[in-house]
Amino acid sequence: MIHFRIFTISLLALCLILSEGHRGCCLVNVWQPPSPNITHLLAVGDKQSLMVRWLVYHCDLVGHINEVQISRTENHIITYAENVSVPADVTEYTWTWTSDLPLECVDHSVRIRQYCNQSVLSPWSSWTTNPGVQTEDKTKAFPSERVLREGASAMFCCVSPPGVNIIEMRIYDKAYPLISFGPRVTAIAVDKLTIPTTYIKMLILQFSDTKGRHGNVGNYVSFPPQKLRNLTCMTLDMINIICSWDTSRKRYKWDRSNQTQTLRIENTNQAPISCQELSCTFPAIPHLEEYNVRVVVQNQFGEETETHSFNISDRVSPVVDWARLSPQVTDATVSWTVQGNVTQLNLLCQVTTEPHSITELWCNSRCTVKLEHLLPNTQYFARVRCSTNGRVWGKWTEPRFFKTGLLVTLNLWRKIKQLSDPHSREITLLWTSDVPDFAKNQQYRVQWWQEGNNGTQSKDIGQTQMEVCIGPGQYTFMVQAVLLSGHSIPANITIPKMDNRVKVVEKQLSSHTVGGFNLTWAQQVSATCGYTVEWCIESSAHSCDLQWKKMPEGNNTLILPDRHFKDGHRYTFNIYECTKDGHKLLEIQSGYSQELQTVQSPSLIEPVQSTYSSVTLEWRYNEADPTHPAFIVGYLVTVQDTLPGPNANMLSVLVSDPQKKSVTIKDLEENHEYKLSLSALTNKGPGQAATVVIWTKIKFSAHLAKILTPIFLLLGCISLLWPQRKKLKNGVKEIFSYPAGMNIKISELDTILNETFDTVLSENVEECISCDIEIINSLSDTASLRDPEPMNALSFPVSHSPFSPSWMSLKADYCPQSATLLSDKADVGQVTFITNKSYIPSVVECVFEPQEVMLSETKSSFEPSDCPEESCIIECGYISKDTL
């Protein structure tokens, strides 16, 4: 019908031309085709495109050309023009134009005219306008919140209210040159847009106007779809198929490009399948083995396509579900199932107990395997994966952790205590194990037997010792832990027969500077099962935490660090050899991790025995007391002379035998004071000291010789003078007899002396008018006391001695006599005369008339003194008869 209309119109036009020719005039310049009619003008804002649709007037048989013009603003400034070729069979044509300037910025108008026969032009159609945005109150910017293509050029505009101009436009803090599109529209052009580095990939346009107002708008920047790579498809369960791919560039999280992914199965009539960004899941088609798929990724900037072909049976990646995992002591049973419809497939599965080994097996959808050669009481994790052909493997399952069963081994030991009954012993069994505290419903089973007799007893898991009374024979004990998963390896120990004849070697260990103990002992051929060393760590004053360490056969050395031992504490180590008949005590070694010096002082036994030249010191001390902070290796006795000054002497005596409790110190001075100190000696030095002060005795034998010698001399003299005794008797009488006519009684003499003494004391002492004292020191070769001649001066002694006679004040009217003191302690004596010349009256004269004056003479003889350095003074004087 269309072709008929075209033919009719063409034929009519030809007839009109021919008819005009016969009239002699030409109508070509007069006839024009009608102007095109624009039926639709649509603005696509996010694409900045104008879609124009108009009716086509066909004036050519083949087709025709339409000229399209685009103008901006109300002045219709031509911006774009294009000749559009329209097919002949089209009655309404649609044409799209994309603007570099956002359509909201200014008015965009379109008009069209057409060419007939490539020479006749139709009139222009009327302008059809897509209006821009008008604003009356504030400036608006475009584009706003659109997705722009990375690397492309773009224009941004601002539409301001009347009377307001835009003075600045910035992007990334960079100001761009302003482009004017009229009095109210200002724009900028930006080349090669880039994606911002901010978290949200938004491009911010900032602007300001003449009124000081500021504003901004944001737009997103994205990129076209990337080429698809590594497109592959597989199935996990033969029910669903998963295709996945990747690209050289991933989209950002906040990308707004509206990208879509579509998958088509080209060898079926299935509808397109919408996919995720990098994968697509769709149901498997029953009985279809071969698949040809096409993946299309597109957005507003372009699209990418990729194809892939595969056989579903070769793309099975089985998914494993755990069924059961049962650990034992040295093995574990693992079971699992495979998801999906894979019963008709033969699966190859791998089980790993990393990092040890991988176990492979062939199975169907339900599989079970036993993992062997595992370590007991050890943490493991197992993972499983399966494959249908050994090439495409499913993912490893999440690790399943498990722990093998407890292989409990007991460390068993014993203590033997002899009871009061000589045929009975108390056995204390002690054991340790590696059973954790969280283990439940566990107990220990103790069994023993001896020559057909046996017994059994159970202990809770928290108890680690048991006491049993046995006889003198040999016994065997066995302790075993009862667990939920079974029993531990039994521990056995043999108690030997009672034997009191065993001789044990005892040793003292020397302490090391670094602390700890280094135990060694002699190898024993009879020790067929090694050695055991036990020691005690005191947890309180009367409790013992028994420790033991078992050593294998052939090992006779044990090093114990000092972190478990205290300094100054004695530890005793009992070393047992393990024989077929039980453990027998081999050695006892005791020592200190570190010895201390501060030991207690010994207890002295008093009174201390002494002579004129020696002292015997005795004491009490328990040198074997285990509470000592060090070994006692002897004693140190110090003898110190108490005489002060540089002449004091000190003597030290070492007693090297700690069991010896007495010592005699000789060569001391007689009748002398000494201070004795006694302290226990350790390897670190002497400890605290006990002290005592003693006097040596006087050597009477030496003094006896001095006494007996004059006695014997006197007896000799007496024996020699005995024949002349009568003559001597008469002479003595003449010397000591009273004067003639005197008869003085002793009582009367005593009364007279007392009265005289009181009278002298009652006299007042006169003050000295002058004190001109003359002191004369002279030397004398004599050792006697003599009465010198009367002198004109009164002599007084200089000082008093506690050994001299009493001093008495004398009156001035008596006749003084000088007293001369001669010392017999040296060959040369010193005599001191003290004379106060001014005190003696010159008018007084001493007249000696023996017939009228009663003379009383006081004499003092020199007696030997204990202190030879003391001075002796003799006072002599005369008392007048008037005083008497």
Side-chain angles (χ1 to χ4, degrees):
M1 184 64 184
I2 296 176
H3 292 84
F4 177 74
R5 289 175 59 191
I6 295 173
F7 174 74
T8 303
I9 294 172
S10 299
L11 182 60
L12 179 60
L14 180 60
C15 291
L16 290 174
I17 294 172
L18 291 176
S19 63
E20 291 294 333
H22 290 286
R23 294 178 184 180
C25 62
C26 184
L27 298 177
V28 177
N29 293 330
V30 176
W31 182 84
Q32 286 182 322
S35 62
N37 182 18
I38 298 176
T39 61
H40 188 73
L41 179 62
L42 178 64
V44 183
D46 57 344
K47 295 183 178 180
Q48 296 184 182
S49 299
L50 284 176
M51 186 177 65
V52 184
R53 183 178 299 169
W54 68 88
L55 293 176
V56 178
Y57 179 77
H58 292 279
C59 60
D60 293 332
L61 296 177
V62 178
H64 62 278
I65 296 175
N66 292 330
E67 183 181 0
V68 181
Q69 288 184 345
I70 305 294
S71 68
R72 284 175 177 163
T73 72
E74 62 272 10
N75 297 328
H76 296 293
I77 300 173
I78 303 301
T79 302
Y80 183 79
E82 181 182 350
N83 292 331
V84 180
S85 176
V86 180
D89 58 348
V90 175
T91 58
E92 190 175 26
Y93 187 75
T94 301
W95 176 77
T96 302
W97 172 76
T98 301
S99 173
D100 57 349
L101 184 69
L103 300 178
E104 297 89 347
C105 297
V106 296
D107 295 343
H108 287 77
S109 301
V110 181
R111 70 177 180 175
I112 304 173
R113 69 179 178 179
Q114 64 180 3
Y115 289 89
C116 285
N117 297 323
Q118 298 182 354
S119 59
V120 180
L121 291 173
S122 68
W124 286 103
S125 65
S126 301
W127 287 101
T128 302
T129 301
N130 178 68
V133 174
Q134 301 294 323
T135 179
E136 298 295 335
D137 54 351
K138 63 178 181 179
T139 301
K140 295 182 179 180
F142 302 97
S144 177
E145 296 187 359
R146 292 181 185 171
V147 180
L148 307 178
R149 180 170 180 168
E150 181 188 24
S153 299
M155 294 189 72
F156 300 86
C157 72
C158 290
V159 180
S160 58
V164 179
N165 295 323
I166 301 299
I167 60 176
E168 187 180 47
M169 297 178 68
R170 289 176 171 272
I171 293 180
Y172 298 142
D173 293 331
K174 178 183 178 182
Y176 286 83
L178 301 180
I179 304 172
S180 177
F181 286 92
R184 299 172 60 183
V185 179
T186 305
I188 61 172
V190 181
D191 296 331
K192 296 182 180 180
L193 297 176
T194 58
I195 298 177
T197 57
T198 56
Y199 182 71
I200 299 178
K201 311 304 179 182
M202 180 172 281
L203 190 70
I204 304 299
L205 169 66
Q206 298 173 331
F207 57 87
S208 58
D209 56 25
T210 54
K211 288 189 175 183
R213 291 178 297 188
H214 302 273
N216 60 76
V217 293
N219 293 277
Y220 300 94
V221 181
S222 186
F223 52 89
Q226 303 297 299
K227 181 68 176 177
L228 277 66
R229 303 182 305 181
N230 302 325
L231 176 59
T232 182
C233 298
M234 66 177 57
T235 179
L236 303 178
D237 50 11
M238 296 293 290
I239 298 175
N240 293 306
I241 298 175
I242 302 173
C243 293
S244 61
W245 60 88
D246 59 20
T247 60
S248 60
R249 187 178 183 184
K250 293 183 180 181
R251 296 174 63 200
Y252 297 105
K253 181 178 181 180
W254 302 105
D255 191 278
R256 300 295 184 87
S257 62
N258 297 325
Q259 179 172 297
T260 61
Q261 297 79 218
T262 304
L263 183 143
R264 293 178 181 270
I265 306 174
E266 296 187 332
N267 57 338
T268 66
N269 56 358
Q270 296 286 329
I273 303 167
S274 179
C275 304
Q276 298 179 355
E277 183 179 354
L278 297 176
S279 65
C280 194
T281 302
F282 57 94
I285 299 175
H287 310 295
L288 181 63
E289 293 289 330
E290 297 290 336
Y291 286 81
N292 299 323
V293 298
R294 178 184 295 273
V295 179
V296 178
V297 180
Q298 61 182 358
N299 62 13
Q300 62 265 43
F301 304 127
E303 71 174 32
E304 289 290 339
T305 302
E306 187 67 30
T307 60
H308 181 59
S309 299
F310 62 92
N311 188 307
I312 190 173
S313 299
D314 297 333
R315 301 299 180 88
V316 180
S317 179
V319 177
V320 176
D321 291 332
W322 285 104
R324 184 171 60 90
L325 197 156
S326 301
Q328 303 297 323
V329 177
T330 58
D331 57 63
T333 301
V334 182
S335 300
W336 66 91
T337 59
V338 180
Q339 295 180 2
N341 187 18
V342 294
T343 56
Q344 72 278 11
L345 301 177
N346 194 16
L347 300 174
L348 175 63
C349 296
Q350 291 181 338
V351 183
T352 177
T353 54
E354 293 180 356
H356 296 288
S357 63
I358 293 179
T359 303
E360 291 188 349
L361 73 155
W362 291 92
C363 61
N364 292 322
S365 59
R366 186 173 182 86
C367 308
T368 301
V369 67
K370 186 174 184 180
L371 306 176
E372 297 179 336
H373 308 295
L374 302 179
L375 297 177
N377 197 24
T378 305
Q379 186 80 26
Y380 289 95
F381 68 89
R383 299 190 301 169
V384 181
R385 69 175 183 176
C386 294
S387 173
T388 57
N389 52 16
R391 296 191 303 272
V392 180
W393 288 93
K395 293 182 179 180
W396 286 105
T397 60
E398 291 295 325
R400 187 79 173 269
F401 291 89
F402 67 94
K403 189 175 184 180
T404 52
L406 296 172
L407 181 61
V408 179
T409 57
L410 302 180
N411 185 6
L412 181 61
W413 187 236
R414 87 293 183 273
K415 289 193 303 184
I416 302 177
K417 179 181 179 181
Q418 182 65 51
L419 298 179
S420 57
D421 184 359
H423 300 289
S424 298
R425 295 177 292 175
E426 182 184 77
I427 305 298
T428 302
L429 297 176
L430 305 102
W431 63 85
T432 60
S433 68
D434 56 355
V435 178
D437 296 336
F438 58 81
K440 299 180 179 179
N441 299 328
Q442 298 176 353
Q443 62 179 358
Y444 294 104
R445 180 180 301 165
V446 182
Q447 294 179 304
W448 65 91
W449 54 89
Q450 187 264 338
E451 296 180 356
N453 299 323
N454 57 66
T456 302
Q457 189 173 351
S458 297
K459 291 290 182 180
D460 294 337
I461 191 63
Q463 299 179 355
T464 57
Q465 67 179 32
M466 188 185 74
E467 296 179 353
V468 180
C469 291
I470 63 173
Q474 179 176 307
Y475 284 77
T476 300
F477 289 85
M478 183 189 74
V479 181
Q480 189 175 28
V482 180
L483 310 175
L484 292 176
S485 58
H487 298 80
S488 69
I489 298 176
N492 296 277
I493 192 169
T494 299
I495 308 300
K497 295 181 180 180
M498 184 183 300
D499 188 2
N500 298 325
R501 297 171 299 174
V502 178
K503 295 183 178 180
V504 181
V505 178
E506 296 187 10
K507 296 181 180 179
Q508 284 188 359
L509 298 172
S510 59
S511 60
H512 300 274
T513 57
V514 295
F517 293 96
N518 186 1
L519 307 178
T520 58
W521 56 90
Q523 288 277 13
Q524 301 295 320
V525 179
S526 57
T528 58
C529 49
Y531 303 89
T532 300
V533 180
E534 72 170 8
W535 67 95
C536 182
I537 296 179
E538 293 184 1
S539 57
S540 63
H542 302 287
S543 62
C544 171
D545 184 8
L546 187 64
Q547 305 290 318
W548 67 92
K549 181 73 174 179
K550 293 185 177 181
M551 309 299 295
E553 181 183 359
N555 191 345
N556 65 332
T557 301
L558 176 61
I559 299 176
L560 298 174
D562 62 345
R563 63 177 179 269
H564 301 300
F565 302 97
K566 297 187 299 183
D567 294 345
H569 185 83
R570 184 184 299 181
Y571 294 91
T572 300
F573 300 91
N574 298 327
I575 302 174
Y576 296 84
E577 59 171 329
C578 180
T579 68
K580 63 179 182 178
D581 297 326
H583 290 78
K584 297 180 180 180
L585 185 59
L586 182 64
E587 291 184 12
I588 298 178
Q589 299 183 10
S590 57
Y592 298 84
S593 176
Q594 284 289 329
E595 290 186 272
L596 302 180
Q597 183 178 351
T598 57
V599 294
Q600 295 294 327
S601 60
S603 177
L604 292 173
I605 299 176
E606 295 185 1
V608 178
Q609 300 178 9
S610 64
T611 65
Y612 64 91
S613 64
S614 66
V615 173
T616 300
L617 200 63
E618 296 181 346
W619 61 89
R620 299 185 185 92
Y621 199 68
N622 185 7
E623 71 281 356
D625 189 356
T627 61
H628 287 320
F631 286 120
I632 306 301
V633 298
Y635 304 94
L636 179 65
V637 181
T638 302
V639 182
Q640 184 177 4
D641 192 345
T642 59
L643 179 66
N647 296 328
N649 297 323
M650 180 178 293
L651 175 66
S652 295
V653 178
L654 178 64
V655 179
S656 59
D657 185 3
Q659 296 181 353
K660 184 178 180 181
K661 304 298 191 318
S662 65
V663 65
T664 299
I665 300 98
K666 299 180 180 181
D667 300 327
L668 302 180
E669 295 184 13
E670 65 169 320
N671 193 25
H672 206 77
E673 186 181 34
Y674 291 94
K675 179 181 179 181
L676 282 71
S677 299
L678 172 66
S679 59
L681 197 62
T682 68
N683 291 323
K684 295 292 183 178
Q688 299 179 8
T691 60
V692 65
V693 178
I694 59 96
W695 277 86
T696 53
K697 295 182 179 181
I698 300 175
K699 188 177 181 182
F700 292 102
S701 58
H703 292 281
L704 185 61
K706 295 180 180 180
I707 296 172
L708 294 179
T709 299
I711 293 176
F712 288 137
L713 291 175
L714 179 61
L715 294 177
C717 293
I718 292 174
S719 60
L720 292 176
L721 297 176
W722 183 253
Q724 305 295 329
R725 59 184 179 278
K726 292 182 178 180
K727 294 180 179 182
L728 291 176
K729 182 178 179 182
N730 295 329
V732 171
K733 287 182 178 181
E734 292 178 358
I735 295 173
F736 293 100
S737 62
Y738 292 108
M742 294 184 64
N743 186 14
I744 301 175
K745 297 181 179 179
I746 297 301
S747 58
E748 293 178 354
L749 179 62
D750 183 57
T751 301
I752 294 172
L753 291 176
N754 288 334
E755 290 178 355
T756 304
F757 181 75
D758 292 338
T759 301
V760 173
L761 289 179
S762 63
E763 294 294 333
N764 293 326
V765 179
E766 294 181 1
E767 295 182 358
C768 294
I769 300 174
S770 176
C771 292
D772 296 332
I773 299 175
E774 179 181 356
I775 300 175
I776 300 174
N777 294 329
S778 62
L779 298 178
S780 174
D781 295 334
T782 63
S784 62
L785 180 64
R786 58 186 176 87
D787 201 2
E789 294 295 330
M791 298 177 63
N792 297 325
L794 182 62
S795 178
F796 295 89
V798 177
S799 61
H800 301 156
S801 172
F803 303 99
S804 63
S806 299
W807 173 255
M808 180 180 296
S809 299
L810 300 179
K811 300 291 288 183
D813 56 349
Y814 79 120
C815 294
Q817 297 293 327
S818 296
T820 302
L821 176 61
L822 300 179
S823 176
D824 62 349
K825 61 179 292 185
D827 296 335
V828 179
Q830 181 176 355
V831 179
T832 301
F833 296 92
I834 302 175
T835 305
N836 189 349
K837 297 181 178 181
S838 61
Y839 186 76
I840 304 175
S842 58
V843 295
V844 178
E845 295 181 358
C846 290
V847 180
F848 298 91
E849 296 178 358
Q851 294 84 3
E852 298 178 2
V853 178
M854 183 180 294
L855 174 63
S856 177
E857 181 179 2
T858 303
K859 295 183 179 180
S860 177
S861 63
F862 287 95
E863 297 294 338
S865 174
D866 292 337
C867 183
E869 295 181 359
E870 293 292 338
S871 300
C872 297
I873 298 175
I874 300 300
E875 300 171 358
C876 299
Y878 295 90
I879 301 174
S880 64
K881 64 179 181 179
D882 297 336
T883 304
L884 298 176

